[in-house]
Amino acid sequence: MEKEIVISAHKLTKKFGDFIATNEITFKVYAGEIFGFLGANGAGKTTAMKMLCGLSIPSAGEATIAGFDVYRETEKIKQNIGYMSQKFSLYEDLTVVENIRFFGGIYGLSNKELKSKSEALIKTLGLEKEVDKLVGSLPLGWKQKLAFSVAILHEPKIVFLDEPTGGVDPVTRRQFWDLIYDASDRGITIFVTTHYMDEAEYCDRVSMMVDGYMKALDSPENLKKTHGAATMDEVFFDLARGAQRQGD
Amino acid sequence: MLAVTLDKIIKVYDKGHLAVDEVSFSVKQGELFGLIGPDGAGKTSIFRILTTLLLPDGGKASVMGFDVEDDFKKIRETVGYMPGKFSLYPDLSVEENLTFFATLFNTTLAENYDLIKDIYVQIEPFKDRRAGKLSGGMKQKLALCCALIHRPTVLFLDEPTTGVDTVSRKEFWEMLKRLKTQGITILVSTPYMDEATLCERIALIQDGKILSIDEPQNIIAQYPDPLYAIKSERMSELLKHLRKHPEIKSCFAFGEYHHISFKKDDEAVHKSLLQSLETKGHKQLDFKTMEPSIEDCFIRLMN
């Protein structure tokens, strides 16, 4: 059976002057897959993610996201993906329900869809008492769970998660991954970066960026075998320790 | 004398949010002490109170015997502080930043060079570069040098490894170990539970309250139940099945395995669980005892 491909990148490259931030990365991501995008600081992860989200035009190479081209169809890409990061997720000075309405509207949901979806979402997350509270007043873990749910409100093909669980307590971090599993079960493809190596284990496949190159791509189990490592932490260390670049 | 003491410290922000709720602990001289907890636990508020940048709303605290309210000037002269947010001058060069902070404390780069040498040599090739143009890892090293340049008695490091990859995190902890041998007391905070075992003593903190204070090994030894790791080839479903099983006391995902404990722990219960999972179609079940980690302890204390 041929698996549906939702991200396909071939020698995707981004240069800033002489500096090659992302260097000919080639990979595929399949529908419903949880794809871990790991790498050392400055390895070129953010640059690659921006290209995949249609926010930055590549210098060379090809890629399609949900079937859309990263050079010519960036607006189509944006409509078919969800995005959240630790740094930017929701508007702190809007209430819970206002954020849901705002992002749902941006993603093109009708008023009717918005109403039913936001009610369902609030119920799933148990936020009934918090609907009219400002998002800024919620604990970080709740914010992150809400941000993720908002990012997939329009049932995108793919959701990009940039360090979604940074600084989140260990219990909420696991609840967050329950949400990821649910979304993946519904066929949403998850593209996620993290600094927690236990979370790398939750991915179907994990890629490792080092100095702009994609140095490894395999299931956590195979990566551990190949590197003779007991944990993903050791795999990461083995691959990244020779890194020359130190970025943000 | 204790290097740092806190006695029922309270901090309340607007709208009555209790950020620090009667926190008490102390740090011995020369100790490497870790404050371990997620964002919003109150770590930064505690650091700001100890470095006299924020007044507590209740309780008493001291650093090297000086009271944080009455003797704040004395504390400022003696401590080093590396805030969680990069706070050096981005438009001064590496060397200018260091010279600036040395001058503020009436000292020179040359005078205390031996203390920062190990760290500084790594950024010295870029000493003419503006601090704002440095990479994350290099900014972190420069900030540490600036916090050390006056040979502080106590060094406060607020989340120095947040957002830093695992290789740089390991290097940073190596640097701290070397500083400790110089007799500097270090109070460090981190949201990464796996860094807890690198400290001599730790306080686990959540929602402004201390959950536990002890040596990491002792906190682990106090875990009340035998803990087991289990995996199959379908981890997501395994988690759901385990949660529904009547004999399971606690159960959560933990990297490659799920960690579980039982209400009543004996071999018959283990056997019946494994049998029940096999009938639910789980193959290649791997079940073994394991030593709890600090993160296991934290999860248990949170519930």
Side-chain angles (χ1 to χ4, degrees):
Chain A
M1 193 185 76
E2 194 67 4
K3 284 185 277 185
E4 187 193 346
I5 293 165
V6 288
I7 299 178
S8 169
H10 183 70
K11 295 195 172 178
L12 193 64
T13 300
K14 181 78 186 186
K15 292 182 193 170
F16 298 104
D18 296 335
F19 180 74
I20 307 174
T22 307
N23 203 339
E24 298 199 349
I25 59 171
T26 300
F27 65 100
K28 289 185 176 71
V29 181
Y30 301 101
E33 187 172 30
I34 302 177
F35 187 88
F37 194 59
L38 273 52
N41 298 114
K45 293 194 301 282
T46 305
T47 307
M49 265 215 178
K50 279 188 179 162
M51 288 191 281
L52 299 174
C53 293
L55 298 172
S56 167
I57 299 295
S59 312
E62 290 141 40
T64 57
I65 312 302
F68 299 109
D69 184 84
V70 288
Y71 292 92
R72 296 183 308 275
E73 297 173 304
T74 53
E75 287 312 306
K76 285 272 186 209
I77 290 175
K78 289 175 202 165
Q79 287 163 25
N80 283 280
I81 63 169
Y83 175 83
M84 80 160 276
S85 76
Q86 186 194 1
K87 286 176 194 117
F88 174 78
S89 45
L90 300 168
Y91 287 98
E92 303 253 309
D93 44 5
L94 293 182
T95 65
V96 169
V97 71
E98 283 167 347
N99 265 291
I100 298 175
R101 236 185 278 146
F102 177 80
F103 283 100
I106 283 190
Y107 283 127
L109 294 185
S110 69
N111 279 339
K112 205 176 138 200
E113 280 177 304
L114 255 179
K115 194 166 180 299
S116 67
K117 289 223 173 212
S118 63
E119 276 167 11
L121 193 163
I122 284 160
K123 203 168 156 235
T124 316
L125 294 180
L127 285 172
E128 287 93 343
K129 282 186 192 150
E130 276 76 24
V131 276
D132 294 320
K133 281 194 184 156
L134 294 184
V135 158
S137 71
L138 296 182
L140 175 77
W142 291 24
K143 259 188 247 179
Q144 297 305 80
K145 282 192 276 182
L146 178 62
F148 175 71
S149 306
V150 165
I152 57 167
L153 203 61
H154 57 303
E155 295 284 323
K157 280 255 162 95
I158 310 158
V159 61
F160 290 89
L161 308 173
D162 194 0
E163 282 183 46
T165 56
V168 174
D169 73 68
V171 171
T172 312
R173 210 151 67 74
R174 286 169 172 80
Q175 290 167 352
F176 193 92
W177 273 89
D178 284 345
L179 293 178
I180 291 183
Y181 278 132
D182 284 346
S184 153
D185 286 345
R186 295 209 305 274
I188 298 177
T189 305
I190 315 285
F191 190 96
V192 59
T193 75
T194 180
H195 281 306
Y196 293 99
M197 286 303 125
D198 60 323
E199 294 186 346
E201 295 276 5
Y202 305 150
C203 301
D204 296 313
R205 284 188 306 150
V206 169
S207 66
M208 266 287 303
M209 295 278 295
V210 181
D211 291 345
Y213 295 96
M214 191 173 272
K215 280 271 182 197
L217 169 58
D218 213 330
S219 67
E221 202 181 343
N222 286 341
L223 283 173
K224 282 184 284 183
K225 256 184 224 157
T226 316
H227 291 268
T231 61
M232 282 302 290
D233 202 50
E234 288 173 32
V235 172
F236 189 103
F237 201 75
D238 196 31
L239 283 161
R241 121 188 102 180
Q244 296 300 307
R245 284 195 211 157
Q246 297 188 325
D248 254 320
Chain B
M1 187 179 59
L2 292 162
V4 176
T5 66
L6 291 91
D7 185 21
K8 295 189 174 164
I9 284 289
I10 293 173
K11 184 67 206 176
V12 188
Y13 291 114
D14 335 331
K15 296 170 197 158
H17 173 61
L18 202 52
V20 182
D21 188 1
E22 295 203 2
V23 163
S24 304
F25 66 87
S26 57
V27 182
K28 292 173 209 149
Q29 281 191 48
E31 193 171 33
L32 176 53
F33 189 97
L35 207 51
I36 319 284
D39 287 5
K43 304 190 298 293
T44 298
S45 296
I46 291 172
F47 273 90
R48 289 196 177 144
I49 288 167
L50 292 174
T51 50
T52 76
L53 301 172
L54 192 65
L55 286 170
D57 294 308
K60 281 270 171 204
S62 74
V63 177
M64 295 307 283
F66 299 117
D67 185 88
V68 291
E69 292 187 59
D70 301 338
D71 308 317
F72 69 92
K73 282 190 179 163
K74 285 269 192 287
I75 292 179
R76 289 180 190 182
E77 282 167 19
T78 52
V79 304
Y81 174 44
M82 181 172 158
K85 191 169 171 265
F86 181 70
S87 305
L88 303 179
Y89 291 96
D91 45 2
L92 293 186
S93 72
V94 167
E95 198 173 26
E96 284 166 345
N97 264 295
L98 263 175
T99 309
F100 177 82
F101 283 98
T103 311
L104 277 186
F105 289 102
N106 282 319
T107 182
T108 58
L109 182 52
E111 201 173 332
N112 290 317
Y113 188 74
D114 62 306
L115 189 61
I116 62 162
K117 192 179 130 207
D118 278 352
I119 309 157
Y120 187 59
V121 289
Q122 301 174 52
I123 50 172
E124 207 167 11
F126 312 99
K127 66 182 173 150
D128 296 323
R129 193 179 289 186
R130 286 183 189 191
K133 296 281 179 200
L134 293 175
S135 70
M138 286 198 282
K139 274 183 186 158
Q140 183 200 40
K141 284 175 186 137
L142 176 59
L144 184 58
C145 286
C146 288
L148 281 169
I149 193 65
H150 58 298
R151 199 171 283 275
T153 48
V154 184
L155 182 61
F156 294 94
L157 305 171
D158 193 5
E159 296 205 17
T161 55
T162 290
V164 175
D165 69 60
T166 176
V167 177
S168 309
R169 275 167 57 193
K170 282 202 175 84
E171 283 175 9
F172 196 83
W173 280 94
E174 288 301 320
M175 285 190 269
L176 292 193
K177 266 192 224 158
R178 284 197 294 272
L179 284 175
K180 206 193 108 59
T181 61
Q182 306 252 8
I184 295 175
T185 307
I186 303 173
L187 180 60
V188 58
S189 71
T190 177
Y192 296 107
M193 306 279 150
D194 56 348
E195 292 180 345
T197 48
L198 302 169
C199 303
E200 287 168 282
R201 279 197 311 143
I202 53 172
L204 302 181
I205 181 167
Q206 162 88 353
D207 285 338
K209 289 193 191 72
I210 302 278
L211 303 173
S212 185
I213 306 173
D214 212 326
E215 291 171 24
Q217 295 75 7
N218 290 344
I219 290 182
I220 287 169
Q222 284 157 20
Y223 198 89
D225 306 305
L227 193 67
Y228 300 88
I230 185 164
K231 75 168 175 176
S232 81
E233 86 295 8
R234 288 177 298 143
M235 292 301 278
S236 165
E237 277 170 58
L238 179 63
L239 195 59
K240 285 178 192 151
H241 289 149
L242 287 167
R243 279 180 188 152
K244 282 190 198 132
H245 193 84
E247 291 297 330
I248 295 290
K249 181 175 174 188
S250 76
C251 156
F252 41 86
F254 212 110
E256 190 184 358
Y257 288 83
H258 298 325
H259 289 186
I260 55 175
S261 65
F262 295 91
K263 286 175 189 159
K264 180 169 156 272
D265 193 21
D266 61 37
E267 281 202 16
V269 169
H270 300 172
K271 221 173 166 183
S272 92
L273 172 71
L274 292 175
Q275 271 168 2
S276 132
L277 291 172
E278 271 167 16
T279 56
K280 289 195 168 76
H282 288 283
K283 292 186 187 107
Q284 294 160 27
L285 276 165
D286 182 6
F287 175 77
K288 58 185 185 185
T289 60
M290 64 161 316
E291 164 128 326
S293 67
I294 288 294
E295 189 153 343
D296 290 298
C297 299
F298 199 99
I299 291 172
R300 187 189 71 83
L301 291 164
M302 272 180 75
N303 291 327

